[in-house]
Structures are given as structure tokens and as C-alpha cells.
Amino acid sequence: MNVYILCPAYIATGGIELCHQMCNAINTLSADVEAYIWYTDKDRIDIDSILLDVPSNEEYRKYNTTCAKSMQEIDVEGNVVVFPEGYYGYIQLIRRAKRVFWWMSVDNFTNYNDVEKAFPFFRENVCLHLYQSFYSKDYVEKNMPDAKGIFLSDYINRDHGKFLYPPELRQDIALYNPKKGYEDLEPLINKADWLNWIPLANLPREKVIVLMQCAKIYVDFGHHPGKDRIPREAAANGCCIITNKKGAAAFYEDVSIPDKYKFESPGDSLDEIDNLLHDICNDFKSHQDDFASYRGMIASEYDKFNKDVLAFLECVKNI
């Protein structure tokens, strides 16, 4: 049995890194299963773009993955093909191998697909669902209660959280991702203009880590379509996290922070959030301690991921 993990070529995102992490884990942990990346070009729609024989993005070469060379190699009885949620349409290309669907994001699937048609299609063509978050697990179980699924999440890059910069040396900096939820965050930035707000965009990982070590706060009012990485990276580096309650952020298992740091409707709670920001900056160590268990959970994700990968292999062997 070989495992093939579908993945876009040329670009770098958290989901793409997760594909490479899974491939690496299978090849490292299993003596009788080999895993490969199936690269495709998401920006082209032609026969030559379906499978690409290209080197991995430089960011992911440390995972030592090998890419598939032909569809004939992939679509073999007994093989397993893993489709991330963004590649729902590719499932029909495989007829012989076992087909597995990985819910890295719920919203990215529901926003771009006819879900009413998808559920019957899943029942006929997908043998196993993988849940990156409890949000996705809840979604699948509510809509397809008869579906077979197991949890297979991820872990953040292990460069994060290697040390914590001393609380007394941190600055009144709040970090945010300008690509997610900025329309809800902008009123807070305008109100709390006493804070130094710094966007995390187009920065190398090393610069992101330095900023997270210097800052006190990370705010995320995005949709949280899965268990997002940036909040975990910020927490691992010692920041206090403030979120809304959208998507995965509504689930404590996905964003395991005290409820006082989560807001149902941030736009209606600007005064309350501003007071919280002041309190965090004035008594940072006390608030940072509220996130100790979250940091512990994040630190344990690497080992849990490896256990879940082995459970996945055992499961697909018996389907």
C-alpha cells in the first residue's frame, strides 16, 4: 500500500505544509507503507496540470518528500489517495485506489461547493474523512452521521516556542493577520490606537518569531475555517490571544483559551476589549499565565500527530 497526498505546487501555506508533514510522518514511522506528494497546479485547468513532476517548495524540502510521477502509479487497487478539502473535484479522477477526504477547512469547502450534492457524492466515493479540527468533525457528523471519520490534525513549525522572551521586556504590541477578519478588527485598532498594531504579512518565519517574542497580544477576528496556525504560533511564543467565536474558535478543543479572551460579537464589545487590552499590557505576566495550558497543548501536538498518523494507516489498511 502506498499513500498519495494531493497538494498544490509552487506555493507555501499552512495546509500545504501539513500535507508534507503527513507524508514525512508516514515515511518515518511506517516500515511497510510509502507516502508521496501528488503535486498539481491549482491555477491551470488542463490535462498537463493535473500531475506535475516538480521539486518541492524550498520551504518544505526539510520533510524529504518524493512526488508522484504518473496517474498510473497512483490509481492502483490498495493504494490510498488523500484529498484536502480544496481539491474535492479531483476525487473523480481516482477509480481504483481508496479515497480519503481531509477537512483542513470547513469554510473553504462550503464557500466554493454545492454541499447538497457533495454529501451523496461523499457517501459513494469517500471511504474515510479526516478531521483537522473539532469544528470539521462537528460539521461532518451533523451532515453525514453515517460517515466514517477519525481525527488527524497538525502541528505548528517547531521553530516556534523554543523559548519565551521575558515578560518584563515585552512591548505594548498587538499583532494581527491583515488577510483575515480585518473589517471586524479595524474598529478596535482605531479605538485602541494607544497600542502598536503590527500586521503579520509577507514576513519570513524568523521575523514573525521575533515579533511574537516581543509582542504581548495577538488578535484574530477571522472566520477560523480550521484550527488555524497563527494563533497557536503566537501563543507558543508567549503572546496572549484574543479571538471571536467564529468557526473553530467556537470550540474550546480547537482554540483552548479561557472564555474571557473570546468575544461573540467584537464590534459590540469594543469598550470591553479595550479594557482587556489595557489590563493585559499593565499586568502581562498574570495574563500570560492564563495561556500556560494552551501552550502545553500546542507543544504536545507533534507527538499526537504522529500517533494519529499511525492510527490513520491502521484504519485504511482495514477498510
Side-chain angles (χ1 to χ4, degrees):
M1 179 180 83
N2 292 336
V3 176
Y4 294 86
I5 305 158
L6 183 57
C7 177
Y10 308 126
I11 57 178
T13 69
I16 295 171
E17 181 165 24
L18 177 51
C19 291
H20 290 80
Q21 288 173 337
M22 181 186 191
C23 190
N24 175 264
I26 292 172
N27 289 328
T28 301
L29 299 171
S30 176
D32 60 345
V33 178
E34 292 184 358
Y36 301 85
I37 296 290
W38 167 4
Y39 284 122
T40 189
D41 189 339
K42 72 180 186 68
D43 295 323
R44 287 170 54 193
I45 306 174
D46 59 70
I47 192 68
D48 293 329
S49 72
I50 290 174
L51 185 144
L52 301 174
D53 182 2
V54 297
S56 61
N57 188 293
E58 184 175 355
E59 180 84 0
Y60 308 131
R61 287 177 191 167
K62 64 184 178 183
Y63 294 112
N64 298 313
T65 56
T66 301
C67 72
K69 308 297 184 185
S70 70
M71 294 301 295
Q72 291 76 18
E73 165 195 345
I74 296 172
D75 196 13
V76 174
E77 192 81 28
N79 282 350
V80 176
V81 183
V82 180
F83 299 88
E85 93 295 325
Y87 290 86
Y88 164 70
Y90 280 65
I91 295 176
Q92 59 190 324
L93 297 174
I94 299 300
R95 300 300 177 89
R96 300 176 182 84
K98 299 173 186 177
R99 291 165 286 192
V100 174
F101 198 71
W102 201 352
W103 293 86
M104 296 183 187
S105 163
V106 174
D107 299 8
N108 291 348
F109 177 79
T110 59
N111 290 343
Y112 298 104
N113 296 284
D114 185 336
V115 295
E116 294 303 318
K117 290 182 179 179
F119 298 143
F121 180 82
F122 281 137
R123 293 186 182 97
E124 293 295 323
N125 295 281
V126 172
C127 68
L128 181 67
H129 294 264
L130 303 178
Y131 309 130
Q132 187 266 355
S133 64
F134 279 84
Y135 174 41
S136 62
K137 182 176 185 289
D138 179 74
Y139 177 80
V140 173
E141 290 179 347
K142 283 179 177 176
N143 289 283
M144 294 180 287
D146 56 339
K148 184 177 182 62
I150 61 173
F151 205 80
L152 180 61
S153 190
D154 64 1
Y155 60 92
I156 63 172
N157 190 288
R158 301 178 83 192
D159 289 340
H160 293 280
K162 288 184 175 180
F163 70 96
L164 293 184
Y165 203 62
E168 63 273 13
L169 297 181
R170 289 185 181 248
Q171 302 173 37
D172 290 349
I173 295 173
L175 305 173
Y176 65 97
N177 180 359
K179 298 179 181 179
K180 293 186 176 182
Y182 184 75
E183 64 280 0
D184 291 327
L185 179 60
E186 187 176 19
L188 180 62
I189 292 176
N190 292 333
K191 182 176 184 60
D193 57 2
W194 55 272
L195 260 176
N196 183 8
W197 293 88
I198 299 179
L200 298 175
N202 304 316
L203 298 172
R205 180 180 297 118
E206 294 78 10
K207 182 66 177 292
V208 170
I209 292 173
V210 169
L211 286 172
M212 288 178 173
Q213 288 288 345
C214 292
K216 292 182 178 178
I217 301 160
Y218 173 78
V219 183
D220 193 328
F221 293 156
H223 286 84
H224 303 273
K227 192 171 69 169
D228 289 346
R229 290 188 176 221
I230 298 181
R232 285 179 285 157
E233 292 169 355
N237 287 305
C239 292
C240 297
I241 312 302
I242 296 175
T243 72
N244 53 18
K245 293 186 178 181
K246 291 181 179 179
F251 292 78
Y252 179 80
E253 297 90 342
D254 291 332
V255 184
S256 307
I257 65 177
D259 200 55
K260 69 180 181 181
Y261 299 99
K262 292 184 179 183
F263 293 86
E264 189 74 45
S265 179
D268 297 329
S269 306
L270 294 179
D271 288 340
E272 185 181 354
I273 301 173
D274 186 45
N275 289 335
L276 177 59
L277 294 172
H278 275 288
D279 200 52
I280 290 173
C281 289
N282 293 333
D283 188 16
F284 176 69
K285 180 62 168 64
S286 175
H287 284 276
Q288 188 187 51
D289 288 345
D290 287 344
F291 294 85
S293 63
Y294 188 38
R295 291 194 298 274
M297 182 276 288
I298 294 166
S300 71
E301 287 181 323
Y302 175 75
D303 289 338
K304 186 177 187 310
F305 179 78
N306 286 336
K307 291 177 182 177
D308 289 346
V309 166
L310 289 174
F312 158 75
L313 293 176
E314 191 63 28
C315 183
V316 291
K317 286 178 182 178
N318 294 313
I319 293 176

